[in-house]
Amino acid sequence: MKNLTNELMKNLTNELMKNLTGPVPQTHQRHETHQTHQTHQTLDQDQDQESDLKKTSAGLLLDVDGVLVRGRSVVPAACRAFKKLQRPNKDFLLPVVFVTNAGSCHREQRANQLSDLLHTQVHPEQVVLSYSPLSMMKSLHHRVVLVSGQGPIRDIAHRLGFDKVVTIDDVRKHCPLLDAVDHQPRPAQSGLQTLPKIQGVLLFGEPTHWESHLQLIIDVILTNGSPGSAHMLPGSTPQLPIIVCNPDLLWKSQAPTPRFGHGVFVLCLEAVFKKLAGAELQIEALLGKPSILTYRYAEHLMTSQMTSSDLRLRTIYAIGDNPLTDIYGANLYDRFLKHNSVTAMTTSSRVSMATGEAVATAMGGVPKEEEGLVSGADECRSVLVCTGVFDPTSPLPPDQWAGLEPELLQPHHTVQDVEEAVELILQREGL
């Protein structure tokens, strides 16, 4: 897969930077109390809490699957960790943002799920899903896009700002001869009167019925957005832009070993396309971890939680379980923060989906006029836990990190679980 062109990257970065300057609801504010009679001790405690918060110049970026939960079960260390992260009034000691590569639900739903599982209040403004930065890319919002994934993907796309959305079911309904793998075809439903010409493809996450999605996505690509027509010769026209959210090859559930993630589906799509077309599938942008756009967006949300206007975020601690996305992405962002530009060292580097194939990182070189507008932290420290994809007794096979920079796979800290990670962070920050 090729890197983004400079022109496209500049446009996407400009969109992101321009829109990140807007206000974000405050979620890390201390709760107001309406009690008439407060003891002097309570007032003193509140003052001490405010003083501690003003001293805090660090933020916490938390992965979800494999760190806090496995499937529908909470990792036991997570509840203990959150007790240490919170004050008696349930406020966090430092800004916290949950960054997950999941993309099959609304962030309000994910926030509610986390609140229920962790027995703490998680606000939607504290949640970043793999597709979240798409809301900033307004230049794409008026294109007709085909979306793939599970859950309420049409509604998700609409909420992100896309006003012309086509689903795989829409294509199946209007082009019933195309989905021919299943000899007993499933009924297809569509809310569209006619099928418009498709101008781009958004892959939100792993779908069900992979055979249908693989066939119809390739049909859309090879017909330049008109899947009812014959395939065109590869290279005869520019390929439709494809944006991939969530490159995870594996994720940790309640199963004894990690399960296939969206990266496996994208790998299949690449392999089939190359076999049929004799050319590489061109991916225009990668979102979700390890994309730098995702980390910049998360830092913006984290900064908005800081209650002291004269204090800037100094250190981001990124806790994750997957070296290929969580750790690589955090270390890549650390490099970006320290150099304030990735042009010299990473434009030729590739972020892999652990497939041996190279994937563009939706970042490229950041134009000089955009440097420093959002990313104000000094460093991003990666913390690897052993409760998810990473197994300290089983090193990564070389094929899974082919094309990656080995040093970016090395975490700043390796701990057993998220409780130990929180203890380490609180100790480093003197909290």
Side-chain angles (χ1 to χ4, degrees):
M1 301 181 191
K2 69 177 182 180
N3 285 320
L4 290 172
T5 63
N6 291 336
E7 181 178 358
L8 175 61
M9 190 57 245
K10 183 174 181 179
N11 289 339
L12 294 182
T13 305
N14 285 346
E15 290 282 1
L16 183 68
M17 297 301 99
K18 179 173 64 178
N19 289 282
L20 281 181
T21 57
V24 173
Q26 299 291 317
T27 61
H28 189 60
Q29 305 257 347
R30 293 175 49 252
H31 299 303
E32 294 182 358
T33 176
H34 299 287
Q35 296 177 350
T36 304
H37 303 288
Q38 286 185 311
T39 64
H40 291 293
Q41 181 179 4
T42 303
L43 290 173
D44 291 342
Q45 289 175 345
D46 286 346
Q47 291 173 355
D48 290 342
Q49 290 171 4
E50 289 181 356
S51 177
D52 288 343
L53 189 57
K54 288 180 180 179
K55 294 177 183 177
T56 302
S57 56
L60 185 57
L61 191 157
L62 276 166
D63 183 31
V64 177
D65 293 304
V67 176
L68 303 178
V69 301
R70 289 178 179 168
R72 297 182 182 275
S73 298
V74 179
V75 175
C79 292
R80 299 192 299 270
F82 272 79
K83 289 181 179 179
K84 296 177 180 180
L85 270 176
Q86 292 178 308
R87 307 183 189 282
N89 65 355
K90 299 298 184 180
D91 281 343
F92 288 112
L93 288 166
L94 67 170
V96 175
V97 172
F98 302 83
V99 181
T100 172
N101 271 356
S104 60
C105 64
H106 296 295
R107 68 175 185 171
E108 292 85 359
Q109 180 183 352
R110 194 58 163 162
N112 290 335
Q113 291 172 347
L114 290 171
S115 296
D116 292 340
L117 290 170
L118 300 172
H119 304 293
T120 189
Q121 183 62 51
V122 176
H123 299 275
E125 294 80 10
Q126 290 177 281
V127 177
V128 178
L129 300 174
S130 60
Y131 58 69
S132 294
L134 283 171
S135 64
M136 304 291 103
M137 300 178 182
K138 297 186 183 298
S139 63
L140 305 177
H141 287 176
H142 300 304
R143 296 187 185 184
V144 179
V145 293
L146 174 70
V147 295
S148 169
Q150 296 184 49
I153 53 175
R154 189 193 302 274
D155 191 43
I156 290 172
H158 282 315
R159 289 200 192 185
L160 288 168
F162 293 91
D163 52 17
K164 300 171 185 175
V165 179
V166 176
T167 68
I168 291 293
D169 260 5
D170 290 327
V171 177
R172 292 179 62 241
K173 179 68 174 179
H174 290 278
C175 304
L177 299 179
L178 299 185
D179 187 16
V181 174
D182 192 342
H183 293 182
Q184 295 180 333
R186 295 167 285 112
Q189 297 181 353
S190 174
L192 302 179
Q193 295 298 318
T194 59
L195 189 67
K197 182 177 175 62
I198 295 168
Q199 299 170 302
V201 179
L202 304 180
L203 305 182
F204 281 165
E206 61 271 20
T208 57
H209 304 288
W210 284 24
E211 75 287 349
S212 297
H213 284 72
L214 289 171
Q215 175 72 77
L216 298 183
I217 290 171
I218 288 177
D219 283 336
V220 167
I221 296 170
L222 290 180
T223 60
N224 196 33
S226 302
S229 58
H231 288 185
M232 304 172 68
L233 291 176
S236 60
T237 185
Q239 184 197 288
L240 293 178
I242 301 173
I243 295 179
V244 174
C245 304
N246 181 9
D248 282 348
L249 184 73
L250 301 170
W251 66 285
K252 185 63 176 176
S253 68
Q254 292 170 279
T257 54
R259 303 291 85 196
F260 288 170
H262 190 214
V264 174
F265 173 78
V266 178
L267 171 61
C268 293
L269 181 65
E270 289 180 300
V272 175
F273 181 87
K274 184 174 182 179
K275 192 72 173 179
L276 294 178
E280 299 285 348
L281 183 68
Q282 305 298 316
I283 302 295
E284 287 294 334
L286 173 70
L287 298 180
K289 295 172 291 186
S291 165
I292 280 188
L293 286 181
T294 294
Y295 286 87
R296 300 187 95 175
Y297 184 70
E299 182 182 347
H300 173 65
L301 297 185
M302 197 175 295
T303 301
S304 73
Q305 298 177 33
M306 304 187 76
T307 57
S308 178
S309 59
D310 60 348
L311 185 65
R312 71 177 180 87
L313 191 65
R314 178 177 54 82
T315 301
I316 298 172
Y317 293 94
I319 303 176
D321 70 303
N322 192 334
L324 294 168
T325 52
D326 300 318
I327 302 307
Y328 198 93
N331 290 340
L332 195 63
Y333 194 54
D334 182 59
R335 173 186 289 179
F336 172 83
L337 292 172
K338 289 177 177 176
H339 293 271
N340 206 19
S341 172
V342 294
T343 305
M345 302 183 68
T346 63
T347 49
S348 61
S349 302
R350 308 297 177 86
V351 175
S352 170
M353 291 181 298
T355 64
E357 296 288 339
V359 180
T361 67
M363 63 172 188
V366 177
K368 291 184 177 180
E369 64 268 24
E370 304 296 347
E371 291 179 2
L373 290 181
V374 173
S375 303
D378 293 334
E379 61 177 348
C380 180
R381 300 189 68 84
S382 55
V383 184
L384 180 63
V385 300
C386 304
T387 53
V389 171
F390 174 70
D391 182 353
T393 66
S394 179
L396 288 173
D399 285 348
Q400 286 198 20
W401 51 271
L404 295 173
E405 297 183 49
E407 63 271 21
L408 294 181
L409 291 169
Q410 302 303 314
H412 289 94
H413 311 279
T414 301
V415 295
Q416 180 59 37
D417 52 41
V418 66
E419 181 185 20
E420 190 174 326
V422 167
E423 290 174 346
L424 170 70
I425 293 167
L426 296 180
Q427 181 180 13
R428 284 179 55 89
E429 295 300 316
L431 297 172

